[in-house]
Structure formats: C-alpha cells, structure tokens
Amino acid sequence: MQTFKAGKNLVIAGCRITDGKITRSAQARVLRQNAKVFDGKISSLRRGKDDVREVATGYECGIVLEDFNEFEVGDIIEAYAQERVKP
C-alpha cells in the first residue's frame, strides 16, 4: 500500500493482509508485475508500534525484509514456510 523510510537505509512496507496470515518466522518473496524481485526472510513484523508474531487476513501491518529496501507501491509480498516431508 505504502512505503515508509525509517533511518538512512531502512524501508518499511505498509501492507494489508488479503489472504491467510503472515508470521514473523516465514520466508517472503516480493513480486512486481508478476516477476520475482526478492526472496528472503522477514526481519520485522509490526502492527502499529507493537512488534507481533503474526497478522491475520484483513489487518494492516508493517514489514521489513532482510537485505531488501527497494519496495514500490503495488508490490505483492507472498509469505511461505518450507516444511520437510518424510518419504
């Protein structure tokens, strides 16, 4: 939805969760015009001024990703978790 600068090199993505939930321990990928721009870890997840573990559908939050600051309005952030499956 919107980006916010916090300090010299930190950019926060202001987001609304449209489907599912997002957790701080999840991996995330940034899609811009259906092309993957970044794939990495979530560094920080906040609701207002509070640091939270997860945010559910319909709520707004701020997301900081490790080693990524080039957010643009309209980017889509997909969160996912990798699980090991025993054969």
Side-chain angles (χ1 to χ4, degrees), residues 41-54:
K41 296 179 90 176
I42 295 174
S43 172
S44 176
L45 183 63
R46 293 181 167 257
R47 275 205 25 83
K49 300 285 183 187
D50 300 326
D51 206 15
V52 295
R53 291 183 190 266
E54 70 179 38

Side-chain angles (χ1 to χ4, degrees), residues 2 17 28 31 34 41 43-44 49 51 59 73 84:
Q2 191 172 359
I17 309 303
L31 302 174
N34 293 326
K41 296 179 90 176
S43 172
S44 176
K49 300 285 183 187
D51 206 15
Y59 290 100
V73 174
R84 290 184 185 246

Side-chain angles (χ1 to χ4, degrees), residues 27-31 36-40 65 76-80:
Q27 295 283 103
R29 69 176 60 96
V30 178
L31 302 174
K36 183 169 69 170
V37 178
F38 173 79
D39 197 340
L65 300 178
I76 296 172
I77 300 173
E78 291 182 340
Y80 63 94

